[in-house]
Amino acid sequence: MRKQYPFDVIESKRQRLWDEQTAFRAWNPQETIPADHPFAKRHGLTGKTSLADLPPKYYILDMFPYPSGSGLHVGHPEGYTATDILARYKRARGFNVLHPMGWDAFGLPAEQYAIKTGQHPRTTTEANVTNFKRQIKSLGFSYDWSREIDTTDPDYFRWTQWIFLKLYHSWYNPETGRAEPIETLSIPNEVREEEERASYRDERRLAYVAEAPVNWCPELGTVLANEEVVEGKSEIGGFPVLRKPMRQWMLRITAFADKLLQGLEEIQWSESLKEMQRNWIGRSEGAEVHFQVADKDACITVFTTRPDTLFGATYMVLSPEHDLVLALTSEEQQKAVSAYQDYAARKSDLERTELGKNKTGVFIGAHAINPVNGERIPIWIADYVLATYGTGAIMAVPAHDARDLEFAEKFNLPVLKVVQAPQGQDSIGFVGDGVSVNSDFLNELPTAEARQKMICWLEEHQKGSRQVNFKLRDWLFSRQRFWGEPFPILWKKGRHHSVGEHELPVLLPELSDFKPTSDGEPPLARASDWVNMKDGSLRETNTMPQWAGSCWYYLRYLDAHNKEKFCDRETETYWMGSGQPDANPGVDLYVGGTEHAVLHLLYARFWHKVLFDLDLTSTPEPFFKLVNQGLIMGEDGQKMSKSRGNVVNPDDIVAHYGADAFRLYEMFMGPLEMSKPWNTKGVEGVYRFLGRVWRLIVDEESELEYAQKTAVENENAEQQLAVLRLNGSVQSGLKPTSEQLKSLHTCIQKVTEDLQHMRFNTAISAMMVFVNDATNWETRPKECMKTFLLLLHPFAPHLAEELHGMLAGETESIIAYEPWPIHDPKLLVEDSIEIPVQVNGKLRDRVTIPCDSKRELIEALALESTKVKTFIDGKSVKKMIVVPGKLVNIVVK
RNA sequence: GCCGGAGUGGCGGAAUUGGUAGACGCGGCGGAUUCAAAAUCCGCUUUUCGCAAGGAAGUGUGGGUUCGAGUCCCUCCUCCGGUACCA
């Protein structure tokens, strides 16, 4: 198949030239911009710039990829193309655009490969990064590669460790509602012993060690965060996950639950994404209620969102792991209870989910006193009550809770109606809001009021209190892996302390065997020289989870090579917009997949809020606007996967049609946020369009000549581009006709509007309309063509840059720094307009009227239409609706 | 179950605040060019009735509001994503 145009030669040439002039370097305050840099020329800047000299910032960020062995798939460049188009558009609009790229390169696959083959994860990772970078660069994105980062680079993870130490050395002060240095924590006087005082502090750090039931994945040989467990299986690999008590590093994200929730109000994220985060944080309001245990000196506290149903609590349930189970169980129930505890502990999360609704449990032989009516109610244990939510214990109100009802029916426990359902509905099993009954002082109150009244009663009688609860758990932050950031932590005499800041980074030891040790220790424990310090301290052998590096990478881009700080403050202030009144606070636009809705995006917000509290960043939220690109499906409409054999490799598309066509197609497929199927035929469509653009401007004869020359002297293809001549119809100094101007300015207007709303597909179709138009022009004024190329350039930068070079001469500024064209509304004004005429809302005719027609004239013209007449004949006109410039509707009867 | 989002030609998708449904592209059909093909260019292409002019129907279903509904309101159905014993 003959090429539409020599895209391969043009694309490599343009990429080389952009690289040579570091065209897309973004400039920080206090940097010296070379006078011949296109940015300096465009903005008239010379020498060292201060913050005030720089144009407004625009920070546009992609989710950096994990460089996997299989390379880029077509989903990656979808988001990258969208951001690149906007980066180029914003540059044309005069912004100082920061558009960086890097590698989230710690992770499990490289480590698993190492265990299998012995190849060091570093080697694997470097090879993968090289391949990813080659692929990404082949698409001509305008990244500032001088800011490239790699989370596995010691110069990078040094600062990941440093931020971890900030968390370690901080606590959450509930009074100020902020993270503060641990020194501000006042330790009560009654805690005297130095040991105890240290423990008191350690228990309140934002990074702390806790013995807790964790998600243990035997296949992966590591623990996982709650967020990494999907339906009882590991998110990576889909292996079963068990609950197991282990000592682990935790981060106190729960302290920030409310802030993480409230922060969502200030940012421009899609409603569905915000909703996902809200659900994950899971705030619910209710009350804590204290139940005295009968005949024992013990008290069970429960959390409930329905204190109004307290009179209907007919039994209680503790989770099998609850602290009080042992103490409260009667002798005769001892055996049954411990058998049940064993049974529950053996169940994996997966089995728990699968067994789902089949309730099990055991009576523990003790009773509690319902504080509101003094009733003795039995206490049970059952695994439908989770140890990890609320207090790990519930009051059961079977009449108004589906789970309690099922349990009560199975074990013959009493069911007492305390809420009257609205008319027609059965009150037993009714879980909504109704009216209280059988509830003494709450009777006849609607649920909302009853709830409040009961809380007041509880507080008055010191039987409970108002309480807010969250689903969010603290973040389990340690992994038993090799290929991750080592903790900057040392252990001595069973107590942890931090490595000094000046000793960072803590490097990974050299190992050749990456498996866990035979006694189940993490792989780092194999490096005994590394673990055992001279002073007798031991290094922490866990590593950080993959999310650690991505929690703050957007800040490192701002000042990627700073040796003294994780990021210079003035630079941070500039790019995060705090210094400028009109700038968006934070990253202006962040584009990436939905798969990170609750993992990366929640963790990064959490770290950012801690850094903000410690005055290390200047904005409370990291990502101002966030857009999720939709999934690209295979040609068969199924999700792309190797096993289905429907994976499209960008390399093949670029080789056949070029990067510009690839970019254009990815944007033309449909709205960015929708999922849509790939269709290689569609690539050919946009490829033909680019060929038409080429032929609008380039002379076909000369192209033939070019083809002949390059066929002979293959290696000189780039120089041979010089033989190309302009299409004879392209003429300079030619005054465009009003029709031509109208066509061009319609296109300017549409493309500009669509870019502002990220409607790339319709912007492209507007350009197609223009090109179809211009193809039929006898003569093509050079200025019109140049302007059109400005519109095209964010989408198809190589072709636009090359044609711009031909039209404008290579000595002029590159198109990437040309100002964006502005449409002239005066050129779009029409003298007359065709409007539809409807009769009773049905289209019957169209009439052409002068634009400034008065209502009477429009009505008269509409009624004159012969087609219209046949429909109103013999009927009376009741009403005429005239929408100026839009339509006429004649209502007849 | 609950919470989001989406249902428009053969296909991907357009349609400012309710105002000409189907832009643009793919595919298909026909033509020009060619010895022929590829490529390119031009025309047609929602369905249906009709030789035609023209008519009728039509945006998942059923109803409603309106001069007028793909767009607003209610009902139901299907698909996609998230989540699920969260008290």
Side-chain angles (χ1 to χ4, degrees):
Chain A
M1 190 175 73
R2 196 178 147 224
K3 285 201 181 80
Q4 289 276 348
Y5 67 102
F7 59 82
D8 49 339
V9 182
I10 292 173
E11 288 176 2
S12 64
K13 171 186 168 187
R14 286 298 153 185
Q15 285 168 18
R16 182 178 50 79
L17 290 175
W18 289 328
D19 269 355
E20 279 173 14
Q21 48 190 330
T22 62
F24 305 113
R25 259 297 298 270
W27 302 95
N28 283 354
Q30 309 306 336
E31 275 192 299
T32 304
I33 311 175
D36 61 348
H37 191 273
F39 181 82
K41 287 198 228 166
R42 164 79 194 269
H43 295 283
L45 295 170
T46 47
K48 191 167 167 179
T49 55
S50 74
L51 197 144
D53 299 331
L54 285 171
K57 65 101 187 185
Y58 198 84
Y59 185 2
I60 183 160
L61 181 68
D62 289 302
M63 288 186 186
F64 66 163
Y66 171 74
S68 70
S70 42
L72 223 57
H73 58 81
V74 291
H76 286 114
E78 188 195 9
Y80 302 164
T81 304
T83 53
D84 192 58
I85 289 168
L86 289 167
R88 289 172 180 273
Y89 170 67
K90 289 288 176 181
R91 233 174 253 122
R93 275 275 147 116
F95 287 87
N96 188 14
V97 172
L98 176 56
H99 188 38
M101 180 46 75
W103 318 106
D104 187 16
F106 275 128
L108 203 53
E111 180 161 336
Q112 285 177 321
Y113 188 72
I115 291 170
K116 251 188 265 168
T117 65
Q119 172 158 300
H120 198 286
R122 187 179 299 120
T123 314
T124 314
T125 302
E126 276 169 10
N128 291 350
V129 165
T130 305
N131 187 43
F132 258 68
K133 191 169 177 182
R134 174 191 61 78
Q135 290 188 296
I136 287 179
K137 289 205 83 161
S138 78
L139 293 169
F141 298 130
S142 61
Y143 292 122
D144 177 356
W145 286 104
S146 76
R147 295 170 190 254
E148 178 181 358
I149 55 171
D150 176 341
T151 54
T152 67
D153 180 349
D155 282 337
Y156 181 88
F157 71 67
R158 169 187 179 178
W159 298 106
T160 310
Q161 292 171 336
W162 183 83
I163 295 172
F164 173 81
L165 288 183
K166 289 290 164 200
L167 287 148
Y168 179 79
H169 291 306
S170 303
W171 71 297
Y172 181 79
N173 184 342
E175 284 178 15
T176 57
R178 300 168 69 94
E180 291 177 11
I182 194 78
E183 292 75 34
T184 69
L185 171 68
S186 60
I187 304 175
N189 285 334
E190 57 267 29
V191 184
R192 294 240 170 97
E193 295 287 318
E194 199 42 52
E195 276 292 280
E196 284 178 38
R197 292 180 74 83
S199 297
Y200 186 91
R201 211 180 283 123
D202 286 350
E203 281 159 19
R204 282 157 185 82
R205 294 177 189 275
L206 293 184
Y208 64 98
V209 174
E211 174 97 19
V214 298
N215 305 302
W216 171 255
C217 179
E219 294 283 333
L220 296 175
T222 185
V223 301
L224 299 169
N226 287 340
E227 289 82 350
E228 292 171 301
V229 181
V230 178
E231 289 175 355
K233 294 187 201 158
S234 63
E235 192 190 28
I236 298 172
F239 302 118
V241 173
L242 308 171
R243 277 164 302 129
K244 184 176 167 182
M246 275 178 84
R247 206 168 62 159
Q248 295 292 323
W249 283 97
M250 308 288 288
L251 297 187
R252 206 177 299 282
I253 191 171
T254 49
F256 292 79
D258 254 326
K259 281 189 176 185
L260 288 167
L261 206 54
Q262 282 157 21
L264 292 171
E265 304 304 320
E266 296 149 31
I267 50 184
Q268 291 183 8
W269 293 16
S270 71
E271 205 40 50
S272 69
L273 188 58
K274 286 185 181 179
E275 205 51 34
M276 275 189 223
Q277 292 223 339
R278 283 189 199 112
N279 287 339
W280 195 266
I281 295 166
R283 184 181 200 271
S284 53
E285 288 181 16
E288 269 189 1
V289 185
H290 308 305
F291 285 72
Q292 188 64 39
V293 180
D295 315 320
K296 289 236 166 68
D297 184 21
C299 171
I300 299 170
T301 300
V302 302
F303 172 73
T304 178
T305 54
R306 292 294 299 270
D308 59 297
T309 62
L310 188 47
F311 284 95
T314 54
Y315 65 100
M316 297 190 80
V317 187
L318 306 182
S319 71
E321 301 91 347
H322 197 281
D323 287 343
L324 287 172
V325 175
L326 200 62
L328 299 185
T329 302
S330 70
E331 232 168 275
E332 52 272 32
Q333 289 300 96
Q334 210 71 263
K335 236 174 133 178
V337 166
S338 65
Y340 185 77
Q341 284 180 313
D342 281 354
Y343 157 83
R346 270 200 319 276
K347 272 206 256 177
S348 70
D349 279 11
L350 178 61
E351 287 167 317
R352 256 175 108 132
T353 310
E354 276 176 352
L355 294 172
K357 300 284 181 274
N358 191 13
K359 298 279 182 293
T360 57
V362 174
F363 175 54
I364 67 165
H367 289 81
I369 308 297
N370 187 333
V372 82
N373 58 11
E375 292 279 332
R376 273 170 70 95
I377 57 175
I379 305 171
W380 288 63
I381 60 170
D383 69 353
Y384 84 90
V385 173
L386 306 174
T388 50
Y389 183 77
T391 61
I394 62 156
M395 63 177 212
V397 185
H400 307 292
D401 182 284
R403 298 150 300 178
D404 294 345
L405 183 59
E406 198 189 333
F407 192 83
E409 280 172 349
K410 180 159 175 187
F411 293 102
N412 272 321
L413 292 156
V415 177
L416 174 64
K417 167 175 123 175
V418 288
V419 178
Q420 181 69 49
Q423 80 284 28
Q425 292 187 57
D426 203 347
S427 286
I428 299 297
F430 175 74
V431 298
D433 285 8
V435 174
S436 287
V437 291
N438 300 329
S439 294
D440 195 346
F441 57 90
L442 297 183
N443 283 343
E444 291 174 38
L445 288 178
T447 296
E449 280 173 46
R451 221 179 247 161
Q452 296 309 317
K453 189 157 185 185
M454 180 57 90
I455 293 172
C456 292
W457 187 93
L458 288 167
E459 288 183 335
E460 216 169 282
H461 295 80
Q462 302 195 357
K463 304 280 191 186
S465 57
R466 187 178 301 277
Q467 184 75 31
V468 173
N469 228 308
F470 294 94
K471 271 201 276 188
L472 186 69
R473 303 290 90 204
D474 272 344
W475 178 11
L476 191 140
F477 194 67
S478 42
R479 299 290 182 277
Q480 293 69 50
R481 286 182 192 162
F482 171 75
W483 195 228
E485 299 88 347
F487 280 84
I489 291 290
L490 302 173
W491 289 84
K492 198 168 188 180
K493 294 184 188 150
R495 188 163 279 292
H496 51 77
H497 50 99
S498 75
V499 165
E501 273 186 26
H502 57 282
E503 289 170 67
L504 300 180
V506 176
L507 299 173
L508 283 165
E510 284 309 317
L511 281 184
S512 51
D513 185 347
F514 306 99
K515 282 197 285 292
T517 64
S518 50
D519 47 355
E521 289 289 302
L524 291 189
R526 289 177 180 275
S528 51
D529 288 355
W530 179 85
V531 174
N532 294 287
M533 309 280 289
K534 283 191 203 88
D535 68 350
S537 303
L538 299 173
R539 283 195 192 276
E540 171 63 63
T541 54
N542 283 299
T543 53
M544 298 186 199
Q546 191 180 358
W547 312 107
S550 59
C551 270
W552 72 284
Y553 74 113
Y554 57 93
L555 292 169
R556 188 58 177 172
Y557 280 138
L558 306 182
D559 200 7
H561 305 291
N562 196 323
K563 297 266 185 217
E564 268 76 49
K565 294 179 192 166
F566 83 110
C567 179
D568 171 71
R569 187 54 190 260
E570 188 189 7
T571 302
E572 189 272 342
T573 313
Y574 174 67
W575 288 115
M576 297 303 273
S578 313
Q580 301 145 278
D582 298 330
N584 294 323
V587 172
D588 292 79
L589 178 67
Y590 193 21
V591 176
T594 352
E595 65 272 23
H596 296 117
V598 284
L599 290 154
H600 160 60
L601 288 172
L602 195 64
Y603 295 151
R605 291 182 61 220
F606 162 50
W607 276 37
H608 193 92
K609 286 192 177 298
V610 174
L611 294 173
F612 177 69
D613 284 353
L614 299 176
D615 199 28
L616 293 163
T617 60
S618 60
T619 63
E621 286 286 334
F623 313 121
F624 178 68
K625 184 177 167 117
L626 187 135
V627 172
N628 286 126
Q629 85 257 25
L631 224 54
I632 295 185
M633 317 293 258
E635 211 136 3
D636 53 1
Q638 302 280 305
K639 208 166 167 172
M640 278 196 196
S641 75
K642 270 185 205 154
S643 57
R644 286 200 187 87
N646 58 357
V647 176
V648 177
N649 183 346
D651 285 345
D652 299 338
I653 305 299
V654 171
H656 268 88
Y657 307 102
D660 283 337
F662 179 72
R663 294 167 57 114
L664 213 56
Y665 175 64
E666 290 232 340
M667 294 299 102
F668 188 59
M669 290 168 82
L672 181 64
E673 295 182 65
M674 265 177 43
S675 82
K676 51 229 162 221
W678 180 269
N679 176 10
T680 300
K681 281 283 178 199
V683 187
E684 284 175 28
V686 294
Y687 178 56
R688 274 200 282 269
F689 162 71
L690 291 176
R692 284 158 74 90
V693 173
W694 174 258
R695 291 189 296 273
L696 277 185
I697 292 171
V698 175
D699 175 58
E700 287 195 61
E701 293 277 310
S702 73
E703 203 188 338
L704 223 66
E705 201 181 317
Y706 165 83
Q708 283 162 359
K709 291 211 174 191
T710 51
V712 186
E713 316 166 47
N714 210 3
E715 69 274 28
N716 269 339
E718 199 179 293
Q719 281 93 320
Q720 295 300 343
L721 286 173
V723 307
L724 295 172
R725 292 186 299 275
L726 287 187
N727 186 314
S729 63
V730 177
Q731 291 166 24
S732 49
L734 194 71
K735 196 166 176 265
T737 66
S738 66
E739 286 306 309
Q740 290 173 331
L741 284 173
K742 200 172 282 178
S743 182
L744 178 68
H745 282 250
T746 305
C747 188
I748 296 173
Q749 184 183 25
K750 179 76 177 139
V751 171
T752 308
E753 268 175 22
D754 285 348
L755 280 176
Q756 267 148 7
H757 296 101
M758 299 180 73
R759 292 186 296 235
F760 305 108
N761 54 333
T762 48
I764 292 166
S765 83
M767 291 189 283
M768 288 172 166
V769 170
F770 172 81
V771 169
N772 290 345
D773 243 14
T775 304
N776 297 318
W777 293 353
E778 298 259 310
T779 58
R780 306 189 181 116
K782 197 169 171 179
E783 288 308 311
C784 283
M785 295 295 110
K786 276 172 73 175
T787 306
F788 169 71
L789 290 176
L790 295 176
L791 300 177
L792 179 67
H793 119 268
F795 299 83
H798 309 87
L799 176 64
E801 193 79 78
E802 184 66 23
L803 291 176
H804 174 82
M806 286 181 70
L807 288 176
E810 294 283 354
T811 50
E812 275 190 40
S813 162
I814 60 172
I815 200 167
Y817 283 90
E818 286 284 312
W820 192 253
I822 305 293
H823 85 277
D824 181 353
K826 285 202 290 286
L827 296 171
L828 301 181
V829 175
E830 306 271 356
D831 302 338
S832 62
I833 180 178
E834 190 189 69
I835 61 163
V837 181
Q838 297 180 338
V839 178
N840 284 347
K842 289 201 172 188
L843 177 71
R844 294 305 178 192
D845 198 9
R846 298 181 174 88
V847 292
T848 303
I849 54 159
C851 269
D852 51 0
S853 302
K854 293 220 167 58
R855 192 193 161 93
E856 291 75 24
L857 177 64
I858 299 172
E859 286 184 8
L861 283 169
L863 289 168
E864 248 170 50
S865 152
T866 44
K867 283 184 194 167
V868 168
K869 273 185 184 152
T870 62
F871 286 94
I872 57 177
D873 240 19
K875 292 167 186 162
S876 65
V877 176
K878 277 185 69 181
K879 196 164 154 189
M880 283 192 78
I881 295 178
V882 178
V883 185
K886 283 283 185 208
L887 56 47
V888 181
N889 189 11
I890 303 166
V891 186
V892 296
K893 201 178 174 184

